[in-house]
Amino acid sequence: MRKSLLAVGVMLAPSVVLANTDYKIDLTQPEHHKGEVSITFPASEAKFLDIKMPAWRTGYYRILNLANGVRDFGVRSNGEELRWEKVDKSTWRIYLPEHSGEVTVDYEIYANQLGRRSRHIDDTHAYLDASAVFMYADTWRDEPISVSLDVPDNWKSYSGMERQGNHQFTAQNWDVFVDSPIETGINTHYAFTQDERDYEVVFWGEGNYDAEKTVSDLKKLVGTGDSIWSDYPFERYVFMIHATTGAGGATEHKNSTVIQRPRYSFASRDDYLSFMSTASHEFVHTWNVKAYRPSGLVPYDYQKENYTDLLWIAEGSTSYFQNHLLLHAGIMEPSEYFERVAKSIDRHKAKPGRDVMSVAEASFEAWIDQHGDRAHNDSVNIYSEGALVSWMLDSELLETTEGEVSYRDVHNELYQRFDADREGFTAADVLTILKELTGRSWQNWWQNNVETTADIPFETMLERVGLELVYEKDDEPEVWAGWNANDTSGGMELTRVSKGSPAWEAGFTPGDVIVAFDGHKVVDGRFSEAFKEYEAGESISVTFFRRDQLHEKTLTVKDKPATDAGIEPVDEPSAEQQARFLQWLQIPHPNA
Ligand SMILES: [Zn+2]
């Protein structure tokens, strides 16, 4: 059973929290991206105390070696300096004299990694994810902490943690601390209440966002959590929004999120929906990952990779649900949702990696999987492919139970049965839930679609809910090479070559710089224009540089595979299709 919120509330009451470890950071000279950290640990009778920086931060499944920001380390107790040594890349071992008192550690942290949402300090703000800024000791990991910030006069500080003062917070343990990042600086703050829960929205940075509209839509969004889960795992939630330059992405935390976007990418309808979709994704994570998560991530081991073959549920199912909440809140129109689903089908069909890697394998390999060309040809993405497999499971559940059971029910069961503070779920647990909900085994389905590459029957899935996949008829079919390229001053530089495409068969590879075709110089995108004059089966002589040496190859182009899919509601959906659509998205079929 889940811990009741009441019990947690009592434990959390500010007056009851007596901090065991005190964290301080001086940010009064932030221009050079540096902060001065001071941590006081309790006295200990042990011979030594190991204190550590995490090697990664939650929500970003890559080793970041966060100890690399530490300089000027020193430690003292009772006014005496203590002996210490580094024993591995992230661990400082402090030798304790007999009857030593409290141990105070000081160091400088360099924080200039805005895009990774781990640590960033500059003259306008600091964003501090504790895992990238503050050290911890395993000995004291479960004990309460307090943190106070010394900041410039005009800065304001926010966090999902309990507030004890303008710039002071407490958390019941290290795990809550690392999952409650701090935004402090020059910012704009909004607060609202929805269903008796408190919400805050903090904007850092100028941009073309409409703060009032954003806050009002976030208010609608947060009211939809109970369309999937029976209750909420928090009483208070904070949205931190960074409108900035050169950074994009977002990270979920226990009762807060940080969302980053280029400052001028909030205003157009597409940009706005993309922002709201991200906000919804992070909000879904408050349950799926923060309240319940795969056993490989429970408890988090901050020192190394935390392997699981279920990241496709953690990320992909979150991506699957994110736009459902927007539809439910009336923020996204059904036609806008269909457009996004159609695009994801296009991307899936154009990705050779879908025949190579399963979502289970992609989950396990996420820590080391590569980006770029390799990812396109030989991998799938836990987000996009995970979302499609989640949809497929949802469609199968609705079909085999005649609309009685949806994938939402599976997630509510995971929420009811597993508390991420104590126990994670395994694939066997998900299969047990599926069997209990539907009365039949899903072992074969899992084997065929999760553990091996899935063959996703989009047409059938759409037909069940009264939708169809349509492709624009092109009167003048274009030919296709199967490469992506950037126009550079030196020519056309290939960035991707799809496995099995004409360019792949001809032997092209990313990095090749194409300078001429059939004896004509490639300038200003002329190749893409001239390309339209060729017909399928024709051969083109292509001249290119590879590592500064000139080469020539023959490219035999083919007809372009069908892309630009669209999804349209059928004119007269049957009663069953209408019912299934409603059970699927919780809104009526557009032609009902
Ligand atoms: Zn996510």
Side-chain angles (χ1 to χ4, degrees):
M1 289 297 288
R2 301 189 60 77
K3 277 187 291 200
S4 85
L5 278 170
L6 186 67
V8 176
V10 170
M11 279 165 50
L12 277 178
S15 55
V16 183
V17 173
L18 289 172
N20 170 286
T21 307
D22 282 315
Y23 292 85
K24 291 188 174 67
I25 184 165
D26 184 332
L27 297 166
T28 50
Q29 293 189 312
E31 294 83 0
H32 301 296
H33 316 293
K34 287 177 180 177
E36 300 294 332
V37 176
S38 175
I39 310 169
T40 301
F41 294 98
S44 159
E45 291 303 316
K47 286 205 161 50
F48 61 82
L49 175 67
D50 280 347
I51 61 171
K52 301 173 183 183
M53 284 293 286
W56 63 289
R57 66 141 178 86
T58 69
Y60 188 73
Y61 305 104
R62 294 286 155 93
I63 293 299
L64 298 174
N65 290 324
L66 296 160
N68 62 9
V70 175
R71 292 289 186 277
D72 254 350
F73 183 90
V75 56
R76 60 206 147 79
S77 178
N78 292 331
E80 302 278 315
E81 283 201 22
L82 298 188
R83 191 164 68 84
W84 60 270
E85 62 178 333
K86 263 194 98 170
V87 293
D88 66 34
K89 64 180 181 178
S90 302
T91 309
W92 286 254
R93 177 164 295 172
I94 300 165
Y95 294 95
L96 303 175
E98 265 186 62
H99 312 302
S100 75
E102 291 179 336
V103 174
T104 299
V105 165
D106 297 292
Y107 57 90
E108 178 189 273
I109 191 81
Y110 178 75
N112 193 17
Q113 299 182 341
L114 187 58
R116 283 179 179 162
R117 296 170 296 286
S118 56
R119 58 185 177 218
H120 186 252
I121 300 171
D122 75 6
D123 54 352
T124 64
H125 92 138
Y127 173 77
L128 310 173
D129 180 316
S131 54
V133 178
F134 298 114
M135 296 186 186
Y136 69 102
D138 281 325
T139 328
W140 310 117
R141 178 170 167 177
D142 296 330
E143 303 298 324
I145 68 96
S146 75
V147 56
S148 58
L149 322 170
D150 199 355
V151 294
D153 288 344
N154 57 344
W155 285 25
K156 290 183 290 177
S157 304
Y158 299 97
S159 170
M161 283 183 282
E162 290 280 330
R163 178 183 290 284
Q164 304 296 339
N166 283 345
H167 306 289
Q168 193 181 4
F169 304 94
T170 49
Q172 70 263 46
N173 56 47
W174 162 260
D175 288 90
V176 173
F177 187 25
V178 292
D179 237 329
S180 310
I182 299 166
E183 174 65 31
T184 179
I186 300 161
N187 50 44
T188 322
H189 176 256
Y190 295 80
F192 64 87
T193 303
Q194 174 70 37
D195 303 326
E196 296 175 358
R197 280 175 206 90
D198 295 324
Y199 295 88
E200 294 173 53
V201 186
V202 183
F203 290 91
W204 166 66
E206 290 178 12
N208 64 352
Y209 52 83
D210 178 340
E212 303 284 342
K213 178 180 163 58
T214 304
V215 171
S216 121
D217 279 346
L218 288 175
K219 192 169 191 301
K220 290 183 207 161
L221 167 67
V222 299
T224 62
D226 58 6
S227 67
I228 302 179
W229 302 275
S230 52
D231 57 48
Y232 285 60
F234 60 83
E235 292 297 312
R236 180 173 153 260
Y237 189 92
V238 186
F239 290 93
M240 303 168 181
I241 300 164
H242 290 172
T244 180
T245 300
T251 299
E252 69 277 15
H253 287 287
K254 195 173 180 67
N255 63 338
S256 62
T257 179
V258 54
I259 302 169
Q260 298 182 318
R261 286 182 75 81
R263 61 181 82 247
Y264 298 113
S265 63
F266 290 86
S268 75
R269 178 73 183 158
D270 232 31
D271 281 344
Y272 184 67
L273 284 179
S274 153
F275 165 77
M276 285 306 300
S277 196
T278 301
S280 182
H281 179 100
E282 305 313 325
F283 191 60
V284 170
H285 269 318
T286 314
W287 288 264
N288 185 24
V289 166
K290 291 307 167 185
Y292 56 90
R293 64 176 164 266
S295 61
L297 294 157
V298 178
Y300 287 130
D301 183 337
Y302 300 106
Q303 294 302 313
K304 58 179 173 53
E305 295 85 350
N306 291 202
Y307 295 106
T308 169
D309 52 8
L310 295 171
L311 274 187
W312 70 273
I313 290 184
E315 289 301 345
S317 300
T318 299
S319 293
Y320 176 60
F321 285 133
Q322 69 191 54
N323 290 337
H324 294 191
L325 295 192
L326 295 187
L327 283 171
H328 201 65
I331 294 166
M332 181 181 276
E333 295 297 323
S335 60
E336 293 170 324
Y337 177 62
F338 300 154
E339 223 175 276
R340 280 156 180 78
V341 175
K343 269 200 191 120
S344 72
I345 294 174
D346 272 347
R347 278 196 296 267
H348 165 88
K349 290 189 170 176
K351 191 171 167 66
R354 74 173 204 268
D355 297 325
V356 179
M357 188 180 271
S358 70
V359 289
E361 194 182 354
S363 297
F364 195 88
E365 300 297 334
W367 293 88
I368 60 159
D369 203 26
Q370 296 162 36
H371 294 286
D373 198 54
R374 183 78 206 285
H376 174 68
N377 284 324
D378 298 318
S379 301
V380 289
N381 180 298
I382 51 172
Y383 294 82
S384 50
E385 195 70 5
L388 293 175
V389 171
S390 301
W391 175 23
M392 187 181 178
L393 179 52
D394 201 3
S395 182
E396 282 302 299
L397 281 166
L398 287 166
E399 187 64 16
T400 55
T401 64
E402 295 183 349
E404 289 294 313
V405 177
S406 84
Y407 190 46
R408 291 186 299 275
D409 300 314
V410 177
H411 277 261
N412 193 41
E413 286 302 318
L414 286 169
Y415 177 52
Q416 297 301 328
R417 298 181 193 195
F418 297 93
D419 179 344
D421 287 342
R422 287 179 294 173
E423 188 191 8
F425 63 87
T426 62
D429 293 322
V430 180
L431 284 162
T432 300
I433 289 172
L434 286 167
K435 191 172 184 183
E436 285 178 18
L437 287 173
T438 63
R440 74 168 181 89
S441 167
W442 289 76
Q443 196 78 50
N444 286 343
W445 188 93
W446 195 268
Q447 173 65 38
N448 293 337
N449 299 297
V450 172
E451 289 171 1
T452 49
T453 59
D455 186 9
I456 306 178
F458 295 110
E459 280 81 359
T460 308
M461 287 152 61
L462 290 167
E463 195 267 333
R464 286 170 180 167
V465 290
L467 299 175
E468 56 189 358
L469 199 58
V470 292
Y471 290 94
E472 294 277 322
K473 287 262 183 303
D474 201 343
D475 293 340
E476 290 174 45
E478 269 181 56
V479 293
W480 175 67
W483 59 35
N484 293 30
N486 286 334
D487 281 323
T488 69
S489 55
M492 199 176 87
E493 184 172 354
L494 302 188
T495 54
R496 172 189 285 178
V497 176
S498 276
K499 189 159 62 180
S501 68
W504 174 279
E505 297 299 339
F508 288 98
T509 191
D512 288 348
V513 179
I514 295 169
V515 291
F517 62 97
D518 282 344
H520 298 275
K521 187 179 177 187
V522 169
V523 278
D524 301 333
R526 195 195 284 165
F527 200 168
S528 352
E529 273 309 303
F531 208 61
K532 292 176 184 161
E533 305 302 319
Y534 291 94
E535 284 183 13
E538 278 189 277
S539 292
I540 307 173
S541 167
V542 179
T543 315
F544 63 100
F545 281 105
R546 178 174 291 173
R547 294 192 302 279
D548 292 342
Q549 286 187 313
L550 199 61
H551 299 266
E552 190 168 296
K553 284 186 186 293
T554 301
L555 172 72
T556 305
V557 292
K558 291 184 185 168
D559 278 325
K560 196 175 175 183
T563 53
D564 296 329
I567 289 175
E568 281 174 10
V570 299
D571 288 337
E572 291 179 9
S574 69
E576 196 181 326
Q577 285 172 321
Q578 289 185 40
R580 211 65 88 233
F581 188 98
L582 184 65
Q583 288 146 352
W584 175 40
L585 295 180
Q586 300 175 292
I587 55 167
H589 188 282
N591 294 332

